[in-house]
Amino acid sequence: MSGNEEERPERPSEVDGTAHLFRALGKIIKVLRKNAGLSQAELADITHCGEDLISSMERGVRTPQPDFLIRADPVLKAGGVLLAAVDDVRDALARARVRHPDWFRDFADEEAKAVALHYYAVQAVPGILQTPAYAEAVFRHRRPLYDEETIEKRLADRLARQVIFEKWPAPTMSFVIEETVLRRPLGGREAFREQLRRLVEVARMRTVHLQIMPIEREEHPSLGGSFTLLTPKGRREVAYTEIYGHSRLITDPEEVRMYTERYGIIRAQALTPRESLELIEKMLGEL
């Protein structure tokens, strides 16, 4: 999936400041941590989470979850500041699950509950992996232009979807991203560097397989665009596509089988997860 749920206009009533809330919380956590004299690794150890999660929250890339805020407040001597945000965060996450536009809501609902998710991306980094700055560049430069409120709303929706990386038990997740996507520095040098760092974080997760399809491959089984395969709990696998703003949630078993077959061949032709991580790290070092 290309993460192009930005292709259709949004009603003003669906706009809120959720993205601002998550970014502000990340900044507050960073200041409190430094004031407490803790490194990211030390805070991660005390709160029983990963160092990469602390880094991502502080940069506004991932959403601080209510449970984390409750654990972190006394550790950071926040005096209830983080606890005061718990209800707002819960409300924001609940709104994000229901406020997606009708044409995207079916997929968003299935994605949040899926036990397996497989993304193939050809145009941009998958929306569920995008950093705020990268996503903002995607939204800000589309045509026709979005107004500022709609951009803010789209950002909030996209960031809220990323809570899936914090679920346990974690769903089976894999990504295959075309190398051409990583040669297009959307948002500029600094924004793209942050996006590559995020891909490195994800590629190192033991719950995720991330692969890059190199440009040099002479054969390709699927040149028709991005797609996602997902398996809802207790149900058959389905496929999702977005092409020029037209979305489809595909449930026909034979059609889904064709996408599954294509994805299997794509994964076989892509670089291995280790090779893919090394390529991303090399590109990051060259920026």
Side-chain angles (χ1 to χ4, degrees):
M1 169 183 160
S2 62
N4 290 335
E5 64 266 34
E6 69 274 9
E7 291 296 334
R8 300 188 185 182
E10 205 56 66
R11 297 186 295 272
S13 61
E14 293 176 312
V15 177
D16 65 25
T18 305
H20 281 315
L21 169 63
F22 294 154
R23 286 201 295 269
L25 272 175
K27 292 177 181 178
I28 291 170
I29 291 168
K30 182 176 182 178
V31 170
L32 289 171
R33 175 182 61 78
K34 289 187 172 181
N35 288 346
L38 296 173
S39 66
Q40 290 180 341
E42 289 170 333
L43 178 59
D45 184 59
I46 295 171
T47 55
H48 309 293
C49 63
E51 183 179 351
D52 62 327
L53 175 59
I54 301 297
S55 173
S56 296
M57 286 190 295
E58 290 186 353
R59 290 184 283 117
V61 175
R62 295 173 73 179
T63 304
Q65 294 296 293
D67 289 348
F68 172 81
L69 297 176
I70 292 170
R71 293 195 304 270
D73 192 273
V75 171
L76 297 177
K77 299 180 175 59
V81 170
L82 297 182
L83 293 178
V86 168
D87 287 342
D88 288 330
V89 169
R90 284 185 176 136
D91 289 345
L93 292 173
R95 288 197 304 273
R97 285 192 287 271
V98 300
R99 71 186 173 192
H100 292 290
D102 292 342
W103 61 271
F104 184 70
R105 189 171 297 147
D106 286 347
F107 172 78
D109 289 345
E110 294 293 354
E111 181 185 59
K113 298 178 293 186
V115 296
L117 290 155
H118 305 288
Y119 301 82
Y120 170 56
V122 303
Q123 298 162 322
V125 171
I128 201 167
L129 296 180
Q130 290 179 8
T131 62
Y134 185 98
E136 182 175 357
V138 172
F139 296 135
R140 188 168 296 281
H141 299 294
R142 74 174 291 283
R143 293 296 187 277
L145 292 171
Y146 279 141
D147 59 37
E148 293 299 321
E149 286 186 327
T150 301
I151 291 173
E152 188 67 27
K153 191 267 176 188
R154 295 297 192 189
L155 279 171
D157 287 351
R158 185 156 292 182
L159 293 177
R161 286 171 55 210
Q162 297 179 10
V163 69
I164 197 169
F165 289 102
E166 296 161 33
K167 288 179 59 178
W168 193 263
T172 300
M173 296 186 74
S174 73
F175 298 85
V176 179
I177 303 173
E178 291 286 338
E179 183 182 346
T180 52
V181 170
L182 304 185
R183 301 294 179 183
R184 182 179 298 116
L186 291 180
R189 186 183 182 90
E190 290 304 316
F192 194 62
R193 180 183 287 114
E194 181 182 53
Q195 181 61 70
L196 290 181
R197 283 199 296 264
R198 173 59 177 156
L199 293 181
V200 168
E201 289 176 359
V202 172
R204 289 175 175 168
M205 292 179 182
R206 65 188 180 95
T207 57
V208 175
H209 283 83
L210 189 150
Q211 295 174 258
I212 304 300
M213 173 66 90
I215 297 172
E216 63 197 28
R217 290 293 184 260
E218 297 179 356
E219 298 178 357
H220 203 296
S222 182
L223 296 174
S226 301
F227 61 85
T228 301
L229 292 166
L230 59 89
T231 305
K233 186 174 182 179
R235 306 213 310 274
R236 290 182 175 179
E237 186 176 57
V238 299
Y240 177 81
T241 64
E242 288 179 28
I243 301 176
Y244 300 114
H246 298 284
S247 61
R248 289 183 67 208
L249 189 61
I250 302 165
T251 58
D252 176 72
E254 180 59 22
E255 193 170 359
V256 173
R257 185 196 64 78
M258 289 190 292
Y259 279 98
T260 301
E261 183 175 299
R262 290 171 190 166
Y263 190 71
I265 298 172
I266 290 169
R267 291 190 73 178
Q269 292 181 342
L271 299 176
T272 67
R274 181 180 293 276
E275 292 168 341
S276 299
L277 175 59
E278 291 173 352
L279 174 62
I280 299 170
E281 290 176 329
K282 180 176 182 291
M283 295 177 67
L284 184 57
E286 293 172 349
L287 277 179

